[in-house]
């Protein structure tokens, strides 16, 4: 399986995402924001960082980059798309996911290993998790507060589109502790924490077994491979 990672001006975690894909035994494909060519990939990752310097609003300019026309079209046809942190912001700005992201309520950039609960396993990126499973994924953001109107929040909840929820403290003021959401079809998922930073022993969060041994993030990428193989 070939999974593309789009690099935008200001992307920071594109290389980490490419490595995570390789560790999951898929072929990583580097894509460029100014291109209209998805290079025949089977799935897409929009990585974290500060695309276009987060000018105007985080993810707002990147949502109008040339390649996003292809991303939107591919997503509408069912291609798995994962937006991580800044990528999540892009997906909301492109209206592929509901809601939006605003400045953290604590007023500062937050970096920590974050516990999450998996709420939705019927997606291309979460199908290898168990419902209710608790995982730990690194988080680092300054504009990570998920917002939506009360009616939209009720709809998201009612349709089972909350993918992840924060546990043991809400790091950014996200409404209803929402850390990630999915679209109706389940092929597009966005979250603020960074699964690509929890894919390799010796480099992930600490666990009860050993320091830096957390690899919960790898399951995102193996889930995508499983979803593609099932098609």
């Amino acid at each position: 399986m070939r999974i593309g990672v789009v690099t935008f001006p200001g992307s920071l975690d594109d290389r980490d995402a490419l490595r995570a894909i390789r560790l999951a035994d898929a072929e990583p494909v580097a894509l460029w924001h100014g291109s209209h060519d998805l290079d025949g990939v089977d799935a897409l990752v929009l990585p974290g960082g500060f695309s276009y310097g987060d000018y105007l609003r985080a993810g707002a300019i990147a949502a109008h980059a040339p390649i996003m026309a292809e991303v939107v079209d591919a997503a509408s046809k069912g291609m798995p798309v994962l937006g991580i942190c800044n990528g999540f912001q892009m997906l909301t700005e492109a209206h592929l996911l509901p809601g939006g992201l605003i400045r953290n309520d604590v007023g500062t950039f937050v970096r920590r290993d974050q516990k999450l609960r998996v709420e939705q396993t019927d997606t291309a990126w979460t199908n290898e998790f168990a419902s209710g499973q608790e995982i730990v994924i690194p988080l680092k953001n300054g504009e990570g507060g998920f917002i939506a109107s009360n009616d939209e929040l009720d709809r998201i909840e009612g349709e089972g589109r909350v993918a992840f929820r924060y546990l043991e403290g809400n790091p950014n003021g996200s409404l209803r502790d929402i850390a990630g959401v999915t679209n109706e079809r389940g092929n597009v998922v966005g979250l603020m924490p960074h699964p690509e930073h929890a894919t390799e022993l010796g480099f992930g969060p600490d666990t009860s077994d050993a320091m830096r041994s957390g690899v919960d993030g790898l399951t995102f990428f193996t889930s995508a491979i499983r979803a593609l193989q099932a098609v």
Side-chain angles (χ1 to χ4, degrees):
M1 299 298 173
R2 306 176 76 244
I3 302 179
V5 178
V6 183
T7 296
F8 298 84
S11 292
L12 296 179
D13 300 300
D14 46 344
R15 297 292 183 92
D16 302 77
L18 290 165
R19 181 171 179 80
I21 291 163
R22 186 178 297 110
L23 290 168
D25 291 328
E27 179 185 348
V29 179
L31 301 173
W32 184 241
H33 72 107
S35 171
H36 283 283
D37 185 5
L38 295 183
D39 199 16
V41 299
D42 303 296
L44 285 164
V45 175
L46 304 184
F50 302 90
S51 60
Y52 298 92
D54 279 352
Y55 294 121
L56 181 62
R57 191 172 56 249
I61 299 175
H64 295 279
I67 202 168
M68 288 300 292
E70 276 60 48
V71 173
V72 171
D73 182 61
S76 69
K77 294 176 180 176
M79 179 181 288
V81 179
L82 177 67
I84 302 169
C85 197
N86 195 219
F88 184 16
Q89 295 161 340
M90 295 176 205
L91 291 175
T92 62
E93 292 287 344
H95 305 295
L96 286 172
L97 290 176
L101 287 307
I102 62 171
R103 177 73 57 182
N104 295 348
D105 65 345
V106 294
T108 61
F109 189 90
V110 175
R111 181 187 65 83
R112 72 190 204 190
D113 291 339
Q114 178 66 50
K115 182 176 282 189
L116 306 174
R117 182 171 62 241
V118 180
E119 301 281 17
Q120 176 56 266
T121 59
D122 191 21
T123 83
W125 300 92
T126 62
N127 60 76
E128 290 196 339
F129 289 113
S131 181
Q133 182 176 345
E134 296 183 4
I135 62 176
V136 178
I137 301 292
L139 174 140
K140 50 178 185 175
N141 63 68
E143 297 185 30
F146 182 81
I147 59 167
S149 68
N150 282 330
D151 287 344
E152 188 170 29
L153 287 168
D154 289 341
R155 180 175 61 82
I156 293 169
E157 297 267 18
E159 293 175 355
R161 293 173 61 185
V162 176
F164 303 94
R165 216 178 294 269
Y166 294 116
L167 295 179
E168 297 184 1
N170 185 325
N172 45 37
S174 290
L175 298 180
R176 303 193 189 180
D177 298 329
I178 293 173
V181 297
T182 179
N183 66 345
E184 293 181 9
R185 191 169 181 173
N187 62 302
V188 180
V189 172
L191 77 163
M192 289 310 297
H194 288 257
E196 77 280 13
H197 295 327
T199 59
E200 188 172 10
L201 291 173
F203 298 92
D206 294 342
T207 72
S208 58
D209 294 328
M211 292 177 60
R212 302 189 182 279
S213 61
V215 292
D216 289 335
L218 191 61
T219 304
F220 286 77
F221 303 97
T222 57
S223 290
I225 295 169
R226 179 182 179 183
L228 291 168
Q229 290 172 335
V231 175

